[in-house]
Amino acid sequence: QAAGVEMRLVDASGSETLKTDYDPRALREFFSKRPLTVLSRIAQVAGVGGGWVARNVLDKVLGRSSPDLEVQRAAELRDIITSLGPFYIKIGQALSIRPDILSPRSMVELQKLCDKVPSYDSKIAFATIERELGRPVSDIFSEITPEPVAAASLGQVYKATLRK
């Protein structure tokens, strides 16, 4: 994981699982049964994003402006986006190529989301493997690296050997 960047997750588990295909009706039904999950995620986004917005507003009010400050705020935004997970990383990646929205300095910082995404905790990855495949990781692989060899916005890669 990146130093100082913590992946903020919200547990949306329950007896039914979230579908992997896009179905607005199924999503509405799934999350309507989990109002605390929805409120928790909204609070997370507002909590981490609100501080960044407040700092930017304060910069404007106090007339603070410099290339270094712009890069600092863009780096803070990148870390916030990274901490919020894959969906937000994808939004950040899309923004990173929009010169009509962001300055060149900010674009450079957000472009790091395209090729320098930190990995998330391997415990989460292994738990996901076990949940998706219905078996312990040790039953599936005879060997697996404890840490990923690569990471991207939607997943990470481990070197492993399947059991025969």
Side-chain angles (χ1 to χ4, degrees):
Q1 289 183 292
V5 177
E6 174 190 343
M7 184 75 69
R8 291 171 168 80
L9 301 174
V10 173
D11 185 11
S13 61
S15 59
E16 66 179 299
T17 58
L18 186 59
K19 305 286 187 258
T20 56
D21 57 322
Y22 179 70
D23 180 351
R25 186 174 296 132
L27 287 169
R28 186 173 27 260
E29 183 179 324
F30 181 87
F31 285 107
S32 69
K33 296 174 185 173
R34 294 164 177 80
L36 293 178
T37 298
V38 173
L39 289 173
S40 177
R41 187 59 169 172
I42 290 169
Q44 278 183 344
V45 172
V48 297
W52 182 82
V53 169
R55 286 188 298 278
N56 276 281
V57 168
L58 192 58
D59 290 343
K60 295 286 185 209
V61 168
L62 298 176
R64 293 188 293 214
S65 178
S66 73
D68 289 342
L69 183 60
E70 182 181 353
V71 170
Q72 177 185 337
R73 293 292 181 246
E76 291 169 0
L77 178 60
R78 184 195 67 237
D79 288 345
I80 289 167
I81 288 170
T82 301
S83 77
L84 291 172
F87 173 77
Y88 292 90
I89 291 171
K90 284 296 181 191
I91 291 173
Q93 289 172 338
L95 284 173
S96 76
I97 58 169
R98 296 292 307 268
D100 57 322
I101 297 174
L102 297 175
S103 71
R105 287 183 193 91
S106 296
M107 287 174 55
V108 167
E109 278 302 314
L110 290 188
Q111 284 169 356
K112 293 176 183 175
L113 293 171
C114 297
D115 58 2
K116 294 181 180 147
V117 177
S119 62
Y120 51 88
D121 191 326
S122 290
K123 290 177 187 173
I124 297 168
F126 292 163
T128 302
I129 292 169
E130 290 180 356
R131 186 177 62 251
E132 294 290 322
L133 300 180
R135 297 171 39 202
V137 170
S138 60
D139 286 358
I140 302 165
F141 304 105
S142 59
E143 294 179 51
I144 187 166
T145 55
E147 297 301 320
V149 295
S153 59
L154 296 178
Q156 49 197 38
V157 178
Y158 292 84
K159 185 176 180 181
T161 304
L162 285 171
R163 289 203 178 273
K164 296 189 186 228

